[in-house]
Amino acid sequence: MRIKKLLGAFAVVLAITAGATGCGSRGGAAAAPSSGADTAGALVGISMPTQTSERWIADGKNVSESVTKLGYKADLQYANDDIPTQVSQIENMLTKGAKALIIAAIDGTTLTDVLAKAKEQNVKVIAYDRLINGTPNVDYYTTFDNYTVGVQQATSLLTGLGLLDASGKKVDGKGPFNVELFAGSPDDNNANFFWTGAMDTLKPYLDAGTLKVPSGQNKFEQAAILRWQAPVAQKRMEDILTAAYSSGKKLDGVLSPYDGLSIGIISALTSTGGYAKGSLPIVTGQDSEKGSVKSIIAGEQYSSIFKDTRQLGAQAVKMVDAVLKGQEPETNDTKTYNNKVKVVPAYLLKSVIITKDNYKKELIDSGYYTDADVK
């Protein structure tokens, strides 16, 4: 009787062991990272698009240092706006054994194959500022509220033209004003959000004739600047000035979605357009790069949208830390960012309009820049 009981107990142990083994290997999938001990000192790949913008240099440095402070290893790479280079760099990160990736894509539609490899290796992917499209293998996204950024750009244009007062209240009886419209790179998902937010804001004024676009170029495809390149924006502005303003017509404002483009636009205005630096049209921008902040202080560029990339980097690093510990990262938007395959859970941050009136409070007093940085 005792022998039968022992055999029965042994059979139960075997059944439990077999069941546990079956669960662990089902489908051949690797287990997800489940504890800090498993991923202590793990390699995190950080892929940034370019070093031609001071913004991306600062972002990469910030994220890399923050990852390292948490005890992980960082592999920071810049792709210099070359898509094959970015793909190759990410492949190398996977070969080195990266456990998570933070990616600011050059073209959000070109990473499908390399992210499929990341999925095979159970590597979590955080899209940084730019949504990665056309793949199920992007896990989380952190950015600013990009539609609102577009609204802010258009609002600052209207304020600069005197169509809105400082409180945002509409001012009647002004205009019409001649404006020209610029958009970001068509391969950057954010550019569409900026454009939509801006155009939704400007549409009532365009419909009423308060704003006019003498070039007739009022569609995204006409206004888009591939890779956000300043020389391309400058050339387009020069062409518009020659074609639509050579008879002496005055240009009152330019919607620019990025400081780098604004620099090119202002160069065209002071050369081809013949505008003096002290009497330029209202020109908007984004990212509050040092050169453009100096331009704002000098009364040249009118405004820029400040996106505190310290917060963006901190959020991306928090997401990576969570997934490497087997936890669910914090998100605050699970509806907006559909990448054509799925809605990517996102964390959205807030942005601020910067003008000559508030740059010191928002940029200097907050520690983002020093006085010396923008003098």
Side-chain angles (χ1 to χ4, degrees):
M1 189 70 178
R2 180 177 174 79
I3 292 173
K4 285 183 180 180
K5 286 182 179 179
L6 288 170
L7 287 173
F10 184 62
V12 169
V13 171
L14 284 175
I16 292 172
T17 304
T21 304
C23 289
S25 61
R26 185 175 297 159
S34 58
S35 71
D38 296 336
T39 57
L43 180 65
V44 177
I46 304 163
S47 177
M48 293 284 154
T50 184
Q51 286 177 297
T52 61
S53 164
E54 67 181 48
R55 178 264 164 103
W56 291 115
I57 296 171
D59 279 51
K61 182 174 181 289
N62 179 33
V63 173
S64 179
E65 289 177 352
S66 298
V67 163
T68 304
K69 284 178 183 177
L70 288 179
Y72 302 113
K73 297 173 185 174
D75 182 5
L76 170 62
Q77 300 292 332
Y78 291 91
N80 297 318
D81 278 326
D82 184 68
I83 294 166
T85 297
Q86 185 165 51
V87 172
S88 176
Q89 288 173 344
I90 295 171
E91 287 175 340
N92 288 337
M93 292 171 186
L94 294 174
T95 300
K96 292 176 187 176
K99 299 299 182 184
L101 297 171
I102 298 172
I103 301 173
I106 297 169
D107 182 336
T109 66
T110 59
L111 300 179
T112 302
D113 291 343
V114 71
L115 295 190
K117 294 178 184 177
K119 178 67 173 179
E120 289 171 3
Q121 295 177 214
N122 200 36
V123 174
K124 296 294 185 181
V125 176
I126 311 298
Y128 184 92
D129 201 37
R130 297 175 173 180
L131 185 62
I132 299 171
N133 288 308
T135 173
N137 302 317
V138 54
D139 298 285
Y140 298 97
Y141 178 40
T142 185
T143 189
F144 292 83
D145 186 335
N146 295 312
Y147 178 87
T148 297
V149 169
V151 171
Q152 290 174 322
Q153 288 170 349
T155 298
S156 68
L157 177 63
L158 295 171
T159 303
L161 292 171
L163 292 170
L164 296 177
D165 65 19
S167 68
K169 183 180 178 182
K170 187 176 179 180
V171 177
D172 294 322
K174 291 204 171 189
F177 295 106
N178 295 323
V179 299
E180 295 297 336
L181 311 170
F182 281 73
S185 188
D187 55 11
D188 181 346
N189 194 71
N190 289 354
N192 291 284
F193 280 96
F194 301 149
W195 177 263
T196 303
M199 295 309 291
D200 284 352
T201 305
L202 297 179
K203 188 175 186 302
Y205 297 88
L206 291 165
D207 289 347
T210 307
L211 296 180
K212 298 179 181 296
V213 183
S215 71
Q217 298 181 21
N218 56 10
K219 292 184 170 50
F220 178 84
E221 295 75 15
Q222 296 170 309
I225 303 297
L226 184 64
R227 302 281 188 273
W228 303 89
Q229 293 295 305
V232 179
Q234 180 171 342
K235 177 64 166 57
R236 178 171 180 260
M237 188 76 256
E238 289 170 348
D239 290 345
I240 288 173
L241 290 168
T242 300
Y245 294 86
S246 58
S247 64
K249 187 176 292 184
K250 181 188 175 187
L251 175 61
D252 299 298
V254 182
L255 176 75
S256 170
Y258 164 55
D259 288 346
L261 303 189
S262 307
I263 290 171
I265 290 164
I266 290 171
S267 294
L269 291 169
T270 55
S271 56
T272 304
Y275 290 87
K277 286 193 174 181
S279 58
L280 286 162
I282 300 300
V283 180
T284 65
Q286 180 183 186
D287 284 347
S288 298
E289 293 186 345
K290 292 176 187 175
S292 284
V293 176
K294 292 177 183 179
S295 182
I296 290 170
I297 295 169
E300 299 164 0
Q301 184 171 322
Y302 175 74
S303 64
S304 182
I305 306 305
F306 174 45
K307 303 191 304 185
D308 192 336
T309 55
R310 295 172 299 183
Q311 297 176 12
L312 183 64
Q315 193 60 42
V317 172
K318 282 171 63 178
M319 284 180 161
V320 160
D321 191 39
V323 297
L324 288 177
K325 291 176 177 175
Q327 300 167 359
E328 189 76 17
E330 180 185 6
T331 59
N332 60 12
D333 187 309
T334 57
K335 296 179 180 179
T336 305
Y337 290 93
N338 189 321
N339 77 346
K340 312 294 192 299
V341 175
K342 71 178 195 179
V343 175
V344 182
Y347 191 97
L348 306 184
L349 297 156
K350 294 181 179 180
S351 51
V352 179
I353 298 172
I354 296 295
T355 66
K356 192 174 182 178
D357 295 332
N358 72 340
Y359 83 90
K360 190 174 186 307
K361 174 190 172 186
E362 298 295 344
L363 301 177
I364 309 302
D365 295 350
S366 72
Y368 194 80
Y369 291 139
T370 66
D371 270 316
D373 287 332
V374 295
K375 295 300 184 187

